[in-house]
Amino acid sequence: MDSTLPTVPNDLAALKSAYAADGWCRIPFRLDAPTVERIRDRVDAISAERRPEVVHEKDSDTVRAIHGCHAFDDLCAALVQHPGLVAVAEALIGGPVYVYQFKVNLKQAHEGAAWPWHQDFSFWNQQDGMKRPDAVNLAVALDPIHEANGPLTVLPGSHRLGLLDLPDPARASGDWRRHVSADLAYTVGTNTVDELARELGTALVTGEAGEIHAFHPSIVHSSTNNTSSDRRALLLITYNAVGNEPEAPTRPDFLVSRDATPVTGTADERIGTLGATLV
Ligand code: SIN
Ligand code: MN
């Protein structure tokens, strides 16, 4: 790790209060261009593999997402240990963390399909048995993200409302494919979203490649189809509080990590430098 690069934001208190109020915030550092390029290359290589972690859009060869890559790819394994990411996750959660989930949602040009309005914690709580929403998503843009390539849209402050519009447990789908497809098993209904959007407003999470945002497990969010000719790859690392591990998860381990070893935020010598710069 190049010691001249500021990898740990020095104003974690400001970040924490923005996150507590709004349920999302921009992280004041970004991955540099060569690092983003290296990750993009890995993502392309993994996407070409036929393995269960690679999920396609409905009835299509288009890759929608790749999952759990930190468990089998050296660069992704190093990324989850990035000292800046780990420091932010620990600050926002308030203690040691481990990696619960890792994915890259690719949202390919013209073909990448929407993510309906939902709360991540409904899946983690109802399907996996995660007790408290003491986790955080860190979302790293691997491509420039703009209004037309399907950015994440959040309802700021909605994370404080608890779980909304949960289906009858007997009717909730336990098929994990419906947890990663455009036909999501747990959604927040249009009426609820309209009402909340009037009250709370909406925010588009756009930005340059390398930029990073945090968002809360209970924030209501969605993203639209990619109608542009630009891919929108978004890499998402979910850190969970040590002590908040689900007891007996049943979904595949590439969706729910069984390895709750705390991440320490040390640079990984297998990989070398993962650069970051302040924004
Ligand atoms: C997206 O990739 O746009 C959706 C991400 C998420 O729902 O967590
Ligand atoms: Mn989500």
Side-chain angles (χ1 to χ4, degrees):
M1 183 73 52
D2 181 340
S3 59
T4 62
L5 294 173
T7 52
V8 179
N10 51 18
D11 195 2
L12 290 173
L15 213 58
K16 278 170 78 167
S17 67
Y19 182 73
D22 298 331
W24 75 289
C25 58
R26 191 175 72 136
I27 305 306
F29 69 91
R30 62 198 280 178
L31 297 187
D32 62 22
T35 303
V36 171
E37 195 56 46
R38 291 171 69 205
I39 299 170
R40 270 204 290 245
D41 286 349
R42 292 298 180 93
V43 167
D44 290 346
I46 296 166
S47 299
E49 293 179 26
R50 284 274 158 186
R51 51 189 305 159
E53 293 92 339
V54 178
V55 169
H56 296 83
E57 300 285 1
K58 189 171 190 301
D59 302 327
S60 157
D61 284 338
T62 301
V63 176
R64 175 172 173 85
I66 58 178
H67 296 267
C69 312
H70 67 303
F72 60 85
D73 179 82
D74 279 355
L75 187 62
C76 297
L79 181 65
V80 303
Q81 296 282 354
H82 189 285
L85 297 182
V86 174
V88 165
E90 287 177 341
L92 297 183
I93 292 176
V97 299
Y98 73 95
V99 178
Y100 186 73
Q101 204 174 75
F102 180 107
K103 58 186 180 262
V104 183
N105 289 341
L106 281 153
K107 204 160 285 189
Q108 311 284 359
H110 302 294
E111 294 181 67
W115 291 85
W117 290 101
H118 68 279
Q119 297 168 294
D120 292 343
F121 188 53
S122 57
F123 296 87
W124 303 340
N125 175 255
Q126 301 288 303
Q127 288 294 328
D128 303 338
M130 182 192 280
K131 292 204 174 45
R132 297 177 303 280
D134 293 347
V136 63
N137 293 303
L138 296 189
V140 182
L142 297 181
D143 294 317
I145 300 183
H146 53 76
E147 282 193 16
N149 65 353
L152 211 56
T153 307
V154 299
L155 302 182
S158 56
H159 64 300
R160 287 186 256 113
L161 304 174
L163 290 182
L164 305 164
D165 294 354
L166 283 181
D168 173 348
R171 297 182 50 215
S173 177
D175 177 358
W176 67 265
R177 288 165 198 82
R178 287 204 48 213
H179 308 159
V180 297
S181 76
D183 178 26
L184 282 185
Y186 295 88
T187 57
V188 178
T190 318
N191 290 344
T192 308
V193 169
D194 287 349
E195 208 173 295
L196 290 176
R198 271 195 297 276
E199 190 188 324
L200 302 169
T202 59
L204 280 187
V205 187
T206 53
E208 292 306 312
E211 282 189 29
I212 306 166
H213 291 85
F215 66 99
H216 191 278
S218 302
I219 199 168
V220 178
H221 61 286
S222 69
S223 63
T224 55
N225 293 348
N226 186 351
T227 57
S228 81
S229 49
D230 305 320
R231 188 186 74 166
R232 188 232 64 173
L234 186 65
L235 185 153
L236 294 137
I237 306 169
T238 304
Y239 293 98
N240 188 21
V242 170
N244 195 36
E245 303 91 320
E247 270 164 30
T250 56
R251 298 196 300 164
D253 59 3
F254 56 79
L255 293 182
V256 190
S257 175
R258 307 316 197 251
D259 179 1
T261 310
V263 284
T264 53
T266 48
D268 187 321
E269 70 283 358
R270 285 175 301 172
I271 293 301
T273 303
L274 279 173
T277 50
L278 284 184
V279 286

